């Protein structure tokens, strides 16, 4: 009889909700988890729940998944009165989440952090639907800290997360990374040529996160003469908010054939293959990617994050000689010179490659997918 019940559960269509987003650091791991679930259970029905107006509403459908949006946003700490509208949006989001859960009937729910995961997982937990949360950073986000009591499993990427979560719920899985990055088969030369650059030259990739970073962009804009005379070339992801103004600046000066500027790079696998070194923020998902592919990196932690957690993320590598650290406030003065000097130092690049590879945690998405399926089919 027990075997019969087990077969009935395994034959039943698997339905999973994945909620959260706001930045690529939440969205890309979420998509990787969804892909891993589908690889293990091709019959699975996966529904994403995000925040209206945030980037997940475009990125998730582009990855082939359905998404529902909630009208939720964060609190405005500078303008207290505006939070009356925020409270209404939270209330409305909770009611929409109830309807979504009622219609979809999920067997398990996954929260990856971000505004939308709060209402969604709260509703699921209230209906006794098992919940798993995935925390990417070394300093846990507010939403995940609030949801921890209701979650049955908490997947983390760093040791010492017991200071935020109940120890008995924690599973050290590492962070899921974008599958196309690990599966990229392009050679360095092919990848560089795809950006219209010279395979014979050393290449620096600058990424300020999926939305761009003002400090990174200013570091380039204030040092264009250094760029012109560097003898190396640059792939520069500006972010969509900065792209138009940067293009105006570049169009107003003599051409810089060694610079390929773009608002967003969809094929990061090719960009990483092309790069001899990367300049990046210290988001947890990006760091996980660098560790798995063994990519030399200069980390410029964002100062605009909770508890300065990006600096903590960066120092976990820097203390093991696996990355270079540049403080955000000093970046416009020292970042470009440091990057150019490093990319020309082959011994330093090889040391960084060797050391960062030792820190990678493989198969994170697959491990998390297994835990989700266990919760859904128990």
């Amino acid at each position: 009889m027990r075997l019969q019940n087990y077969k009935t559960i395994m034959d039943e269509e698997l339905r999973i909700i994945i909620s959260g987003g706001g930045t690529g650091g939440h969205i890309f791991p979420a998509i990787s988890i969804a892909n891993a679930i589908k690889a293990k259970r091709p019959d699975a029905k996966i529904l994403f729940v995000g925040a209206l107006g945030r980037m997940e509403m475009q990125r998730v459908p582009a990855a082939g998944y359905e998404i529902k949006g909630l009208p939720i946003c964060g609190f405005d700490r500078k303008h207290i009165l505006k939070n009356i509208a925020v409270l209404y949006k939270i209330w409305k989001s909770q009611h929409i989440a109830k309807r979504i859960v009622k219609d979809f009937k999920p067997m398990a729910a996954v929260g990856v952090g971000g505004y939308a995961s709060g209402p969604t997982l709260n509703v699921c937990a209230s209906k006794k639907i098992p919940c798993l949360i995935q925390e990417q950073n070394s300093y846990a986000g507010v939403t995940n800290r609030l949801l921890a009591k209701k979650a049955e499993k908490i997947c983390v990427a760093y040791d010492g997360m017991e200071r935020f979560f109940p120890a008995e719920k924690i599973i050290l899985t590492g962070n899921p990374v974008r599958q196309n990055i690990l599966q990229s088969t392009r050679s360095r030369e092919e990848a560089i040529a795809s950006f219209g650059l010279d395979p014979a030259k050393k290449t620096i990739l600058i990424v300020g996160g999926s939305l761009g970073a003002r400090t990174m962009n200013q570091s380039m804009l204030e040092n264009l003469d250094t760029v012109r005379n560097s003898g190396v070339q640059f792939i520069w992801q500006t972010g969509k908010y900065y792209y138009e103004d940067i293009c105006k600046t570049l169009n107003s000066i003599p051409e810089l054939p060694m610079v390929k500027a773009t608002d967003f790079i969809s094929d990061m696998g090719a960009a990483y293959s092309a790069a001899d070194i990367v300049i990046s923020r210290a988001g947890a998902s990006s760091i996980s990617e660098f560790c798995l592919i063994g990519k030399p990196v200069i980390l410029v932690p964002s100062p605009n994050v909770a508890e300065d957690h990006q600096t903590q993320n960066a120092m976990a590598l820097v203390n093991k000689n696996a990355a270079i650290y540049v403080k955000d406030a000093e970046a416009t003065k020292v970042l470009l010179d440091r990057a150019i000097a490093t990319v020309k130092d082959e011994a330093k690049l090889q040391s960084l490659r060797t050391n960062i590879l030792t820190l990678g945690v493989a198969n994170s998405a697959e491990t998390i997918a297994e835990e989700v399926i266990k919760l859904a089919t128990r």
Side-chain angles (χ1 to χ4, degrees):
M1 185 66 180
R2 284 180 182 174
L3 180 61
Q4 207 169 30
N5 289 342
Y6 178 74
K7 285 182 177 179
T8 301
I9 290 170
M10 290 304 291
D11 291 340
E12 188 177 355
E13 181 180 78
L14 196 67
R15 297 183 306 282
I16 307 294
I17 272 184
I18 301 178
S19 187
T23 67
H26 293 311
I27 298 163
F28 297 133
I31 292 171
S32 293
I33 293 168
N35 291 342
I37 292 170
K38 291 288 283 186
K40 294 176 182 297
R41 288 287 299 266
D43 64 302
K45 301 296 181 186
I46 299 175
L47 176 66
F48 281 74
V49 180
L52 291 171
R54 306 289 291 195
M55 65 180 293
E56 59 263 28
M57 301 308 294
Q58 286 77 47
R59 300 288 175 227
V60 169
Y65 295 100
E66 181 184 1
I67 186 167
K68 302 284 187 182
L70 304 180
I72 192 166
C73 61
F75 284 100
D76 191 329
R77 292 185 176 89
K78 293 181 180 178
H79 307 95
I80 304 300
L81 290 178
K82 289 185 178 180
N83 289 320
I84 295 171
V86 174
L87 290 170
Y88 172 72
K89 288 180 178 181
I90 292 172
W91 175 84
K92 188 175 180 182
S93 295
Q94 195 80 12
H95 280 265
I96 295 172
K98 285 180 181 178
R99 189 161 64 246
I100 291 170
V101 170
K102 182 180 178 182
D103 292 344
F104 186 67
K105 298 179 176 61
M107 300 158 70
V110 180
V112 296
Y115 302 133
S117 60
T120 308
L121 266 69
N122 278 327
V123 169
C124 288
S126 72
K127 295 183 178 298
K128 308 301 182 186
I129 297 164
C131 298
L132 176 149
I133 59 177
Q134 195 259 327
E135 175 56 56
Q136 298 92 27
N137 289 295
S138 58
Y139 190 92
V142 173
T143 302
N144 277 348
R145 295 205 304 270
L146 293 172
L147 289 170
K149 290 182 180 179
K150 299 176 181 180
E152 298 196 25
K153 299 289 183 181
I154 302 171
C155 296
V156 302
Y158 290 87
D159 290 320
M161 297 302 285
E162 295 84 2
R163 67 192 193 277
F164 302 111
F165 305 127
E168 68 276 7
K169 297 182 179 182
I170 292 175
I171 306 171
L172 183 62
T173 60
N175 277 323
V177 302
R178 289 169 280 187
Q179 279 91 347
N180 68 330
I181 287 170
L182 300 180
Q183 295 164 0
S184 180
T185 57
R186 288 190 183 185
S187 68
R188 175 183 176 277
E189 290 71 21
E190 290 171 335
I192 291 174
S194 73
F195 288 96
L197 295 173
D198 183 356
K201 288 186 176 181
K202 291 285 190 178
T203 304
I204 298 172
L205 170 64
I206 302 176
V207 283
S210 51
L211 300 177
R214 186 176 183 276
T215 296
M216 309 289 218
N217 293 335
Q218 287 301 119
S219 297
M220 283 289 284
L221 291 172
E222 293 181 20
N223 295 278
L224 291 177
D225 286 340
T226 299
V227 168
R228 188 183 299 278
N229 299 316
S230 65
V232 302
Q233 57 194 2
F234 299 79
I235 300 170
W236 179 12
Q237 180 180 281
T238 66
K240 66 179 181 179
Y241 298 123
Y242 305 97
Y243 184 63
E244 188 175 340
D245 287 340
I246 288 171
C247 284
K248 287 178 182 176
T249 299
L250 295 178
N251 290 334
S252 69
I253 62 174
E255 186 181 3
L256 291 168
M258 74 293 296
V259 176
K260 170 64 176 178
T262 181
D263 61 338
F264 182 79
I265 300 171
S266 57
D267 188 353
M268 284 303 298
Y272 287 158
S273 294
D276 294 289
I277 194 168
V278 182
I279 297 171
S280 173
R281 288 302 200 192
S285 294
S286 296
I287 285 177
S288 295
E289 291 173 351
F290 303 141
C291 291
L292 285 170
I293 63 176
K295 187 59 59 176
V297 60
I298 298 176
L299 296 170
V300 187
S302 171
N304 306 312
V305 294
E307 300 296 323
D308 197 26
H309 72 251
Q310 284 204 3
T311 296
Q312 297 178 50
N313 292 348
M315 296 313 295
L317 275 66
V318 173
N319 291 336
K320 296 180 180 178
N321 298 314
I324 295 169
Y325 166 61
V326 171
K327 193 174 182 179
D328 184 87
E330 299 171 357
T332 56
K333 293 182 174 63
V334 305
L335 179 59
L336 262 293
D337 287 337
R338 185 81 53 87
I340 291 164
T342 305
V343 83
K344 293 179 178 179
D345 184 344
E346 189 54 46
K348 180 65 174 177
L349 290 179
Q350 188 55 49
S351 174
L352 290 169
R353 288 187 200 105
T354 301
N355 293 340
I356 200 169
L357 267 173
T358 66
L359 304 178
V361 180
N363 304 316
S364 297
E366 290 75 13
T367 302
I368 296 169
E370 286 175 6
E371 293 296 330
V372 175
I373 293 169
K374 283 180 193 174
L375 289 177
T377 59
R378 67 187 180 187

